[in-house]
Each structure stands twice: as C-alpha cells, then as structure tokens.
Amino acid sequence: MKLEVPEGATGYGILFFIWIALAALLAATIAIALMNVRMAVALNFLIATSMALLNLFYFMDLRHEDRFLKTIIFLALFALTSIIILTYSDVFYRMAG
Amino acid sequence: MAEMETAAEFRQNRMAAKYGMWFFLYTELLFFGAMFLLYSVYRYRFPLDFHAGAKEENLYTGSINTLVLLTSSMTLAMAVSAIKRGQQKVSERLQMLTMALGVVFLAIKYYEWHWKIAKGLYPNSPVLLKLPKGEILYFGLYYALTGLHALHLIVGIVVVGFMLRYTRKGVINRENTARLENAGLYWHFVDIVWIYLFPLFYLVTK
C-alpha cells in the first residue's frame, strides 16, 4: 500500500536530509574554527545563519506560511538589525572619544 | 451552511493560534537578540579576556550538545508530520524521543556547569573575582545566556510532555494539529538560539 503524504506534512526523507545538511554544516563550522581559517568568525556566523534558515524554512515550515507572517519576521529581524547598528555606532563613537 | 461556517471558524482559530505563537517568538527573538548584543559589545571591549575565558569551554561536549539539539528538532518535526498522516503511535514515540534528547542536552549542560563550578568559576566566587574584569563579564554572560537557554529548554520539555498527553487522549489528531505545531515552533526556536550560542562560546575564541 502506497502511503500518501497529506498536504502540509513534510516527508520524513526531506526532514532527514535537512538533518544531514545541518550535521554537515556543524562539522564544517567546527573544522573552520579549529583550522584557524582567515575570517573564521564571519564564516562561523554565516554557517550559523544558514543552519537557522534551514531550521526556519523546513523544521518550522516557514516556506508554507503566508506572506503576512514572512513580512512580520522580516520586520522583527529589521528591528533587531537596527538596534545592533545603533548600539555599535554608539560604542564606536564613545571609544573614539 | 452551518458546517461550512464551522470549518471556516476552525481554520481561523488555527491561524490565530499560529500567529499568536509567532508573535510570542518575536518577543523572544528581541530578548535573546539583546543578550547577544551585550555579549558582542563586551567581547569587542575585552577581546583578550574573552579569549582567555573561552579556553575553559569544552568543544567536544558543546559539539555533541549541538548535534543532540539538532536531532531533537528533526524528531519533533517528524512527530508533527506523523500526526498529519494519522500515525498517532509514531508521533507519540517521536515526541518521547524529543523529550529524551532534551534531557540528554540538559545532562551534558549540567556536567559543563558542574565542571566550571568545581573549579570555582561561578558568579561572585572568590576565584572569579580575582580574574580580570573582562573574564568576570565573560563568565557572567556564559551563565546568564546558557542558563536562560536551559530554562527555555526545560519549558520546552514540559510543553512537549503535555502534547504527548494530548496526543494519547486523541485531542491532538490528524485534523487538529495546531497545538503540536506550536510546541514545535517553540522547540525549533530554542534550537536556533543554541545554533548562535555555540559559535559565541565554543568557536569564536578558539
């Protein structure tokens, strides 16, 4: 009997594949840190963001959500980025002074 | 007509529950985001002290813990998928496995904290107070961030426990998956927080 995957249910195979991808990215980020690669910090955070996106789009199923929710997420990230930029501009200004 | 209205109401309630969970997660994002910002500013001001503090971290246990949490995210996503297919028993087992992996994560974290506390490295300890200001800040942030994360994970385990009970009772079923999906959203968010905590404490200063 062929098992049909209902609408909205992500296949087990896809979820397992995403887990493999996450484990591979984890191994890559550890290797980068241990090998003292140039720009290791930036690479580590780039990999962390890739892992977070895989988690968001597949495990949290954001790819199936409507535009409203995706916009709200963008706004939340925009707010956080703005706070980070403003804080750092203040820190740099004080340290320069 | 009445049946159609009920179906529409059901769909609307489901959407409202999901939106509510996402909005809660936005507040969590800003909460943890502010903590990450605090860490990065102090690390910028005391780079050598943070480097010295990070030498106390065990990359092996940190990596294992990351893999454990990633695996738990997969098992909970599979549990949601299983209930949508009507595979109740499979979903129950996957929820139990998720909780067990959460406990494994906490046990490893307990070992890490225990190891540091045994060395006298805990907030306001005589050993820590003799260290440079940056290292005191590093360990303060380490305990605050990993502690808050662990607290969120404990809440996650309890929530999944309730979802397991609802699944066994049939409250969560093929037609009504919103509660389990929302529990999953929370769990995956806690996983994402750790994905960023791992390089902050275990990799950046290697």
Side-chain angles (χ1 to χ4, degrees), chain A residues 4-69:
Chain A
E4 283 187 24
V5 180
E7 197 186 342
T10 310
Y12 296 136
I14 293 171
L15 293 172
F16 182 69
F17 179 76
I18 295 299
W19 180 79
I20 295 283
L22 287 167
L25 285 168
L26 173 64
T29 200
I30 294 166
I32 286 167
L34 291 176
M35 288 191 296
N36 285 322
V37 176
R38 209 162 153 252
M39 306 278 286
V41 174
L43 282 171
N44 283 331
F45 280 95
L46 194 69
I47 290 175
T49 304
S50 308
M51 291 168 81
L53 287 173
L54 280 176
N55 217 319
L56 259 174
F57 281 94
Y58 287 91
F59 290 166
M60 294 173 94
D61 223 11
L62 189 64
R63 68 194 196 285
H64 288 139
E65 297 299 348
D66 57 32
R67 194 173 287 177
F68 175 72
L69 258 182

Side-chain angles (χ1 to χ4, degrees), chain B residues 53-138:
Chain B
K55 281 185 178 168
E56 294 296 330
E57 304 303 340
N58 186 333
L59 180 61
Y60 184 71
T61 54
S63 307
I64 295 283
N65 246 358
T66 309
L67 194 62
V68 166
L69 215 51
L70 291 174
T71 310
S72 73
S73 262
M74 179 193 68
T75 54
L76 195 53
M78 283 180 169
V80 172
S81 192
I83 204 74
K84 284 180 176 175
R85 293 157 190 249
Q87 298 170 333
Q88 190 188 328
K89 286 285 166 202
V90 176
S91 181
E92 283 174 17
R93 284 185 198 127
L94 286 164
Q95 286 175 55
M96 279 193 276
L97 186 56
T98 305
M99 289 169 71
L101 288 166
V103 172
V104 169
F105 179 94
L106 289 174
I108 294 172
K109 186 51 64 191
Y110 169 80
Y111 161 76
E112 281 189 348
W113 275 39
H114 177 76
W115 189 70
K116 280 191 185 63
I117 290 167
K119 288 179 82 175
L121 295 168
Y122 55 89
N124 219 27
S125 72
V127 176
L128 195 63
L129 291 177
K130 283 180 192 159
L131 294 175
K133 193 179 174 185
E135 277 194 64
I136 297 171
L137 281 166
Y138 173 85

Side-chain angles (χ1 to χ4, degrees), chain B residues 132-149:
Chain B
K133 193 179 174 185
E135 277 194 64
I136 297 171
L137 281 166
Y138 173 85
F139 284 106
L141 285 165
Y142 169 82
Y143 281 109
L145 276 162
T146 59
L148 279 168
H149 178 265

Side-chain angles (χ1 to χ4, degrees), chain A residues 84-96:
Chain A
I84 291 168
I85 291 169
L86 288 170
T87 308
Y88 264 98
S89 64
D90 180 62
V91 169
F92 289 142
Y93 177 75
R94 283 167 197 267
M95 286 184 87

